Amino acid sequence: MEDIKALLDKKDWTAPELAALLACRGEEEQLLFARSRAVRDATLGNGVYLRGLIELSNRCVKDCLYCGIRRSNVHAVRYALDGEEILGAAVFAHRYGYGSVVLQGGERQDEAFVAFIERMVREIKRIGDGALGITLSLGEQAEETYRRWREAGAHRYLLRIETSNESLYRQIHPRDARHDFRTRLECLHALRRCGYQVGTGVMIGLPGQSLEDLARDLFFLRGMDIDMVGMGPYLEHHETPLWERRGELLPQTERLRLGLHMVACLRLLMPDINIAATTALQAIDPEGRERALAIGANVLMPNITPLTNRANYQLYENKPGMDEGAAASTARLVESVRRSGCEVRLSAWGDSLHFAQRQGQP
Ligand code: SAH
Ligand code: SF4
């Protein structure tokens, strides 16, 4: 207990010290959570920003070994929303006071796709005269593509590094040029050059991942001076190659606990960034996202994908929120955020304070 108190008062942790914080339990855990929450409240207040998540397609050219919509999964029922469906979801977001939308989907680099996204971004910008912030999460792209989408009006991009341990990265991806750690890293730099607020993150509780790996992941996020983070527990999917290694996994409740500890420790390391309370936390515990908000996260990404397609976007099994996003559940969401001691800030972009400060804005 005294050790954790002393650690919390330290400024610069070593990887083993940070791993010890990630492993803490009981009263020590409560100390960690109280500290991370206090840092969030002092730096950002208790406001929570909403990003309406639109899962626009599960067609993907990649074959990540952990993902249920990987190209080799012949059982995944493939779909792509059309322009009308995407814009309909964005109009819904605007009407119900979600300040931003996130367009997420499988990876494609063909010109038809790139041009379609460019058009969607332009059209979403016209809703309410530029009222909606736009985040993209569409994987690795050429720098020119990132630039086109940026010029069309997208201003944030999420691309998780998945793990900062290159050898672990190789174990969870096919070993080919399309799944290269260095390329992913280079994409994060390209996004920064194009002027995006850059978000990344990792999966927590992967087979073969140690606490020190996770500690180094947190140092990686700080070292990259990242603006936003989305990270959550790894969840198994039986139609993926990584399912074979399920015997090595921590129980899901432990992965949830680690997920919360990662959020708390990251908040201590990077007080002014945006941290999402992710859906994967909710997949393990219905209150998982609220628990993350209570200890330092400040962004929520409710799913607003049309219900007909939502079930086909299964990155992992037991995906929650299949009925979320309807008007009634938006009200429920505001209420549940309140129970975590936070307040939803409706109709606000909620840009990362970290980004604003790096740009020299107040
Ligand atoms: N294709 C894009 C965006 C969609 S995938 C991309 O890969 O960047 C978005 C995120 O879902 C991935 O970055 C990964 O971290 C997460 N994900 C995929 N499969 C998962 C699983 N089985 N468990 C937990 N998270 C998973
Ligand atoms: Fe495709 Fe993203 Fe899934 Fe990898 S994680 S297979 S890139 S959707």
Side-chain angles (χ1 to χ4, degrees):
M1 182 89 161
E2 285 311 311
D3 290 353
I4 290 290
K5 269 196 190 139
L7 269 184
L8 284 172
D9 287 333
K10 264 187 88 165
K11 281 274 170 293
D12 265 317
W13 299 304
T14 61
E17 284 171 340
L18 190 46
L21 272 181
L22 291 173
C24 73
R25 286 176 182 264
E27 280 179 45
E28 294 184 339
E29 179 180 60
Q30 293 314 313
L31 285 177
L32 167 65
F33 288 166
R35 185 68 66 96
S36 60
R37 186 191 176 101
V39 166
R40 194 271 316 272
D41 287 351
T43 317
L44 304 174
N46 72 344
V48 169
Y49 299 97
L50 303 182
R51 283 72 171 101
L53 176 64
I54 306 173
E55 296 160 334
L56 54 84
S57 167
N58 65 357
R59 299 206 174 116
C60 187
V61 297
K62 293 182 76 174
D63 232 354
C64 307
L65 302 185
Y66 42 84
C67 178
I69 64 170
R70 62 198 298 270
R71 149 199 196 136
S72 297
N73 183 7
V74 292
H75 300 293
V77 179
R78 304 290 165 174
Y79 75 92
L81 300 186
D82 63 23
E84 214 173 306
E85 290 168 314
I86 294 171
L87 294 175
V91 166
F92 170 92
H94 179 49
R95 183 171 315 139
Y96 286 97
Y98 294 40
S100 302
V101 290
V102 180
L103 302 185
Q104 189 181 78
E107 205 174 289
R108 278 177 55 185
Q109 286 93 7
D110 54 288
E111 172 56 28
F113 179 74
V114 170
F116 175 68
I117 297 298
E118 190 176 17
R119 181 162 72 80
M120 284 301 106
V121 171
R122 283 196 203 287
E123 302 255 334
I124 292 172
K125 273 283 134 200
R126 288 167 50 186
I127 298 170
D129 238 355
L132 288 170
I134 304 180
T135 307
L136 299 179
S137 178
L138 299 166
E140 294 168 29
Q141 302 289 341
E143 184 157 350
E144 177 53 24
T145 301
Y146 287 146
R147 186 154 288 121
R148 273 170 72 181
W149 291 347
R150 176 82 187 89
E151 278 163 13
H155 64 129
R156 312 184 187 113
Y157 204 103
L158 293 172
L159 182 72
R160 290 187 179 177
I161 193 70
E162 315 297 1
T163 169
S164 64
N165 176 337
E166 188 168 353
S167 108
L168 182 57
Y169 189 93
R170 267 189 254 116
Q171 289 174 42
I172 61 167
H173 292 96
R175 298 191 181 201
D176 59 23
R178 198 171 244 169
H179 300 82
D180 183 62
F181 181 79
R182 299 277 144 183
T183 308
R184 205 155 181 94
L185 210 52
E186 181 43 44
C187 281
L188 289 172
H189 292 297
L191 287 164
R192 178 62 55 74
R193 286 194 292 274
C194 292
Y196 286 92
Q197 290 175 52
V198 180
T200 188
V202 296
M203 283 182 286
I204 298 157
L206 288 162
Q209 189 180 42
S210 68
L211 281 177
E212 282 205 31
D213 283 328
L214 290 170
R216 285 196 202 93
D217 285 342
L218 294 176
F219 290 144
F220 169 85
L221 298 173
R222 186 177 58 179
M224 291 286 289
D225 197 23
I226 221 72
D227 304 302
M228 345 179 270
V229 171
M231 56 188 175
Y234 160 68
L235 295 162
E236 50 277 54
H237 189 301
H238 76 281
E239 285 164 345
T240 63
L242 220 55
W243 175 253
E244 296 296 317
R245 296 184 61 186
R246 65 193 179 283
E248 298 170 45
L249 298 174
L250 291 169
Q252 287 204 348
T253 47
E254 282 304 306
R255 278 177 261 163
L256 171 69
R257 177 203 295 273
L258 265 182
L260 294 172
H261 288 197
M262 286 285 282
V263 167
C265 288
L266 181 62
R267 180 55 76 202
L268 298 179
L269 282 170
M270 303 188 77
D272 61 354
I273 63 169
N274 278 350
I275 304 180
T278 56
T279 314
L281 296 166
Q282 187 194 1
I284 300 180
D285 174 352
E287 293 287 312
R289 294 183 306 176
E290 287 79 359
R291 288 172 69 183
L293 294 175
I295 54 113
N298 69 325
V299 166
L300 205 51
M301 296 165 56
N303 199 328
I304 58 166
T305 308
L307 287 172
T308 39
N309 289 300
R310 217 174 272 189
N312 292 326
Y313 194 85
Q314 295 265 5
L315 306 174
Y316 43 77
E317 280 160 7
N318 304 321
K319 174 189 178 190
M322 288 312 209
D323 62 348
E324 190 179 79
S329 75
T330 304
R332 269 208 310 273
L333 201 67
V334 169
E335 207 29 63
S336 73
V337 168
R338 202 163 279 155
R339 280 199 304 277
S340 69
C342 300
E343 286 293 331
V344 171
R345 301 269 183 265
L346 289 171
S347 304
W349 278 17
D351 280 337
S352 152
L353 180 63
H354 188 75
F355 181 77
Q357 284 178 342
R358 179 146 35 74
Q359 303 292 101
Q361 295 162 15

